[in-house]
Amino acid sequence: MSVNVENTETLHNEQGININKKLNIKGICYLVIKRSVDIICALIGLIVLIPTTIAIYIIRKILKEDDGPIFYEQLRYGKNGKQFRLYKFRSMCTNADKKLKEYLESNPEAKKEFEENQKLQDDPRITKIGKFLRKTSLDELPQVLNILNNSMTIIRTSTSGRRRN
């Protein structure tokens, strides 16, 4: 004999229209376990993030890279179209947009490459430490902060690259 216990949760879609969503006990248990895994993994990531941030700060000073912020943040769209700030280690110079514009104006081959791919093979905006961070994916490590504040999840992480205008 099985008992099907259901709870009704009221959600709002992007247009503000109420949507009733039924969650059964299995669904609730899944969400609790999923969030618990996120918190545990993010706390472990935080233990790695703190000394990594200190090391990156020191290396940036040794290499005499620009004095801009160590973190880069970008507005992204998450679950239900809700905006959140995505955190990463900054891998580009602080005046990256200006530098890109000047570089593309003086380099037609690079301009064509950028128009086709929206990225450059040898991007002059990327710092020395930024190349290493990207190659090792360490630039993504600060996203554990997004996981802790429940903006992202380890399981089925999905973000949209749309930016705020």
Side-chain angles (χ1 to χ4, degrees):
M1 180 163 130
S2 66
V3 178
N4 188 8
V5 179
E6 294 181 342
N7 295 329
T8 302
E9 180 180 319
T10 302
L11 302 173
H12 301 280
N13 67 7
E14 291 176 11
Q15 290 79 28
I17 300 169
N18 288 342
I19 302 170
N20 289 325
K21 182 178 179 181
K22 293 184 179 181
L23 297 174
N24 59 26
I25 295 300
K26 279 184 181 179
I28 292 170
C29 288
Y30 170 78
L31 292 175
V32 168
I33 291 169
K34 179 179 169 183
R35 183 66 186 140
S36 298
V37 168
D38 281 348
I39 290 170
I40 291 166
C41 291
L43 288 173
I44 292 167
L46 197 58
I47 292 168
V48 174
L49 176 65
I50 293 168
T52 304
T53 302
I54 294 168
I56 290 170
Y57 177 82
I58 292 169
I59 292 168
R60 284 179 62 198
K61 293 298 178 189
I62 291 169
L63 295 176
K64 296 183 176 25
E65 291 197 338
D66 65 76
D67 289 328
I70 194 167
F71 293 106
Y72 169 76
E73 55 183 70
Q74 181 182 46
L75 283 178
R76 295 278 181 105
Y77 291 88
K79 188 175 180 181
N80 299 322
K82 184 179 175 185
Q83 281 190 336
F84 69 96
R85 292 191 185 283
L86 177 82
Y87 298 103
K88 297 174 105 175
F89 283 122
R90 189 171 55 84
S91 61
M92 291 188 176
C93 58
T94 52
N95 57 346
D97 292 333
K98 181 181 176 188
K99 192 169 187 175
L100 176 66
K101 184 179 177 185
E102 291 169 357
Y103 181 71
L104 296 180
E105 285 174 357
S106 64
N107 191 332
E109 291 175 14
K111 184 175 184 176
K112 183 180 177 188
E113 177 187 349
F114 188 78
E115 287 172 351
E116 290 174 4
N117 305 318
Q118 293 301 301
K119 57 171 64 173
L120 296 170
Q121 189 72 23
D122 295 313
D123 197 327
R125 303 172 296 166
I126 299 175
T127 63
K128 295 172 193 172
I129 187 78
K131 287 179 184 175
F132 173 77
L133 292 173
R134 286 183 173 199
K135 187 176 183 179
T136 59
S137 296
L138 282 173
D139 62 323
E140 309 286 342
L141 190 58
Q143 291 178 24
V144 298
L145 300 172
N146 294 111
I147 294 166
L148 277 176
N149 73 18
N150 205 19
S151 298
M152 288 177 66
T153 180
I154 291 174
I155 303 168
R156 197 169 182 238
T157 300
S158 176
T159 63
S160 170
R162 291 180 281 173
R163 295 182 182 169
R164 182 175 83 184
N165 291 332

